[in-house]
Each structure stands twice: as structure tokens, then as C-alpha cells.
Amino acid sequence: KKSQATILVDLATSTGVELFHTPGSDGRGYATIPVGGHHETWRLGTRGFRLWLRRLFWEQSNKSPNSQALQDAMGVLEGKAIFDGQEHETAVRISGDDNCIFVDLANEAWQAVKITADGYEVIDNPPVKFVRPRGVLPLPIPESGGTLDELRPFINVADEQSFVLLVGWIVMAFRPSGPYPLLQLNGEQGSAKSTACRVARLLIDPNESALRSEPREARDLMIAATNGWVVALENLSSIPVWLSDALCSLSTGGSFATRQLYSNDEETLFTAMRPVVMNGINEVATRSDLMDRAVSLTLPAIPDENRLSEREFWNNFESAKGRLFGALLDAVSVAIRNLASVTLTEHPRMADFAEWAQAAEPTFGCPPGTFATAYAENRSSLNEVAVESSRIAAPLLKHLENLSEWTGTASELLDILTEITDDRTAKQRDWPKKPHLLSGQLRRIAPNLRKMGIDVQFDREGKRGRRIIKIRMGMQNSVQSVQSVQSSDSVRPPCVRTVHLASTQNPEKQGKNGEVDAVDAVDAKSRTHSKEEDTVWTA
């Protein structure tokens, strides 16, 4: 007589189930199972697969398997998946490459949208093994005939440039590979910041927990990223240093390691690169490295006479979201088509974003070159914010007021800046108390100072290799002219040269020009263990 565990394994392997595992040393077991006329992919051991297996057992024996039998069967099936099954990548919501993109609609039929340079189509049984973590909601069936202009009533932005940057970020979020810029929305209360974040996510990656509060630690952020495509954070008052570093890592690709559940020396690895959107009243992204990866928009106040009730607003959006989704897919198709024709002669930090959005610009409903100008000005304004946010910037600029250059040690510079600044500032927690801390802060804002015409170099001199700092003013001979670098004459787009940009009516396929932004690596520290699935709370 067969045990319940053996019967469960036999049932699972005799119903056309494909057992496989993901690549890498941390590869995990999955199963693609036939359900009705489609296929679903589940990770072995998750609630969905266990329920499916329980149902099979009930249909055959008219009783439920005991918990131990189910656990034993899971172990056997996972072993078969790891050692006997083939190796396949899995994906959440979006997969593919720059020639063909698949978007999981997350509906009951497990359909997906296939996007190429020729357009898009809804397909059954996509070739990608999409998984659906807890909280994933369906996207609408795309409708043709819509335009991105229809998005304007649902996004409260200040001007045309802000609208173009926001649309560019949304279109970039459909690209399967990053790096992805962080979108920061700020403004006074009542300026529809959360609504804008929610609308953007509903058109890319709907989720039961659409907007989340600040995570408690890097592990929580990485788990959220691996269980969804878009990470959306709301009502942030400030960003602690650890979260700023974690968001940098998530934007350009990073990993996090934590001790595996119920083990002493095995680790669970989380690796992700995701689009991130966040909002707050203030500009909460103030550290230079994070702002270098960001697009920051300030939303204007909404007069009372222009407000709509929640019911009316979301009813209007519900009516339009199918057309809006179709218009976004058209924009992605045009981006695929035009990508090889876009050349950036000057590459900003997030060059892939600039490249992709520029390729999709014909669908934005704006004059050519609008995005390039908007992105250059946005980056320039963020550069100024990064300098203003640094505790040492103001005394440093004051020290350099009448100098063309300065050379000395970090200790000498710290003494000078401490003497210049007031006692209250010098007692602040983030004021550098030691020379090496000053060097660290200066290195962080050095790229921003360089854009203002102040060159900072770290060098060694003499036989003993004494560490010195060299600061030289560039073309500007005074801090006053440096501080006015934001004038219109000093802001220029990243020299985008566009050749034969196609429109939505020209389906000629193009390739990618191969420009890739560098990816920063972040050391992952092992922390206490945690389950790898999100617990979703809604209210």
C-alpha cells in the first residue's frame, strides 16, 4: 500500500507538471502546472502549489492528506526539480529584452502582452515562466486608439517638462533591464502625490499593497522588490542613510543576503533591480549618490474648485485605463523601434533611461527635444539640491570665495571650516568631527561641485605620501558665479542626436546601440532570518 506522500508525488508527476529550477547556486524548485486551457507557474512549497496538490489528492481519494505527507511530498518534488529538472528563469510582471518584451496581465487566463517593434498583442501561454507573488493584481486588457495625453487629467504636474519626465519614467519601467531612475514626487499636502504614485503603479504593476510606508530595514525593501516589479513608498519625511544606500542599490542592481530560515550557516540571497517611486512633502532624497539616480518633480497645489471626489476621479480612471495602457504599450513599441537610432554624445548617470525615453518621445505629444531639455534641467536642479543639503558645502564655498585654488590636508581643511561655521552647525550630528569624515563627505559631493566649476582632487605628495586635497575653481572665479550656474545659459541637454525617429505608423525594426550605464555593487550583510514572501496588509 502506497503512503500518502508517495501518492501525492505520483499525482503531481502524472498530470503533465514540469518541474524545474532557477539558475545559480541559490536555485529554487518550481512547477509549471496545467490548469484548464493554460499553464501556471508556482514555486514549490508555496500556498498556491500546496492547495493545488491537496485538491488533486481529494479528487482521487475523497479525503485530505495529512500535513506530514504533504511536507514529505514537497521535499521529494523539490529534489526532483533541483536535480532532474531543467534550468529556467522566472519573472515577476515583466520579462524579455530590448527586442521583445512580455508583460504579465496577471488575469485568470494567465495571459501576457507581447511587445515588439511591430506593435503589441495579447497572447495565451507566454513562453516566459511568470510567477505571481501574493498581492499581484491584474492589468487591464489594452485598448487601441488611446494617447498619452489622456493621462494628463489623472496626474497633477506643474508643466509640460514635468509631464514628459513622468511619462518617460513610466515607459522606462516597462523595460526588462535597468538601471531605473528613482522617481521622487514632492509637494504640499493635498497636491495629489499619492494619487500620482498610485496611478503610475496601476498602469505598470497593480498590487493590493500599492503604496507602502518606509521599510524597517534593507531586508524588507529587497523582499518587497523580489515580490513585485515596482516599489512605491509614500509619505516619507526623511530618508535615513541605510535606506538611501539601499535605494541606490535597488536602482542600479544589488543583492541582499540573510540567514536561511531554520538553518545556522546557509544564506538566502535576494537580487533585484527595480523602478522605485516615492513621495513626501519635502525633497527627501538629498544624498548626492541617490539624487544622481533620481528624477524629482514638485507637484503644484490644487485649488478647491478643481478638485474631484475620490469616486468621480477613480470612475474616470477606470473608464480610461484600458486606453492608457494601450497607449503606453504603443510607446514601448516605438522605443524598441527607435532605440538603435538614438545616440547620446554625452552620457548622464542614468544613460539607459535617457536613451529609452528619447526613443519613445514621438508618442509623448511634445516637440522633439523636449525630454532631453527637461531631463538636463532636472538633473541640474538636483545637483544644486545635493550641494545645499551637504553640511560642509556652505562653509566650503565661503572659504573659496576669493580663492582660485586651495591645497592642504583634510585636517587643515576641517580646522578652517570649523572656524568659519557657527557653533550650532558644528555641533550637529552630521558635522564631520574628524578629518577622515570630512574627506568622506567631500568625496560624496565632489561630482556635484565639479558640475558647478569646482574641481576636487585627492592626492598624495612627498616621499611619505602625505594625503592632500586640491580644490581649484574652474572657469568661474567667484562663488557668486558658481552659485548662479543654474541660469538658462548654463543648462544644456545631454546632446541627443536622433536619426530617423520612427512613429507608431512605421514598424521598421531597429537594434540597440549597446550603450550601457555602469552598475554599482553594494556589499550585502547577513542579518536575521525572515520568510521570503510578503505579508500584505490592506486597509
Side-chain angles (χ1 to χ4, degrees), residues 175-352:
R175 193 176 187 180
S177 59
Y180 302 99
L182 179 143
L183 178 62
Q184 175 182 240
L185 303 179
N186 55 77
E188 63 183 64
Q189 54 266 39
S191 56
K193 302 182 296 296
S194 295
T195 299
C197 292
R198 195 178 299 273
V199 166
R201 179 152 198 190
L202 284 171
L203 293 172
I204 307 167
D205 180 35
N207 195 282
E208 289 180 16
S209 180
L211 306 180
R212 304 188 178 199
S213 58
E214 176 186 316
R216 292 180 298 177
E217 55 182 341
R219 178 189 59 195
D220 295 338
L221 180 68
M222 292 303 295
I223 290 176
T226 54
N227 283 278
W229 183 251
V230 174
V231 175
L233 306 176
E234 71 164 342
N235 294 332
L236 300 181
S237 300
S238 62
I239 297 183
V241 172
W242 71 263
L243 180 55
S244 181
D245 292 341
L247 290 173
C248 287
S249 177
L250 191 58
S251 171
T252 52
S255 299
F256 179 85
T258 185
R259 185 165 65 85
Q260 190 171 350
L261 193 64
Y262 307 126
S263 70
N264 293 323
D265 56 0
E266 290 191 70
E267 287 185 326
T268 295
L269 303 178
F270 299 95
T271 301
M273 186 189 304
R274 294 287 188 262
V276 178
V277 57
M278 63 184 186
N279 68 67
I281 294 177
N282 304 319
E283 287 182 309
V284 291
T286 56
R287 287 169 66 87
S288 176
D289 51 351
L290 182 59
M291 298 185 73
D292 204 31
R293 297 166 166 88
V295 171
S296 183
L297 305 178
T298 299
L299 306 189
I302 302 176
D304 289 344
E305 59 270 20
N306 293 341
R307 291 189 180 278
L308 296 177
S309 66
E310 289 276 329
R311 178 186 57 81
E312 185 179 0
F313 178 91
W314 291 113
N315 282 343
N316 293 342
F317 179 77
E318 191 69 25
S319 300
K321 70 178 183 180
R323 296 190 306 276
L324 286 172
F325 185 47
L328 286 170
L329 298 181
D330 283 332
V332 175
S333 177
V334 170
I336 294 174
R337 191 181 312 154
N338 288 333
L339 190 58
S341 300
V342 175
T343 301
L344 306 180
T345 57
E346 292 183 12
H347 288 73
R349 176 62 184 273
M350 308 303 287
D352 297 79

Side-chain angles (χ1 to χ4, degrees), residues 99-111:
N99 295 315
C100 182
I101 297 174
F102 295 92
V103 181
D104 183 18
L105 292 178
N107 55 20
E108 292 185 359
W110 282 68
Q111 294 175 307

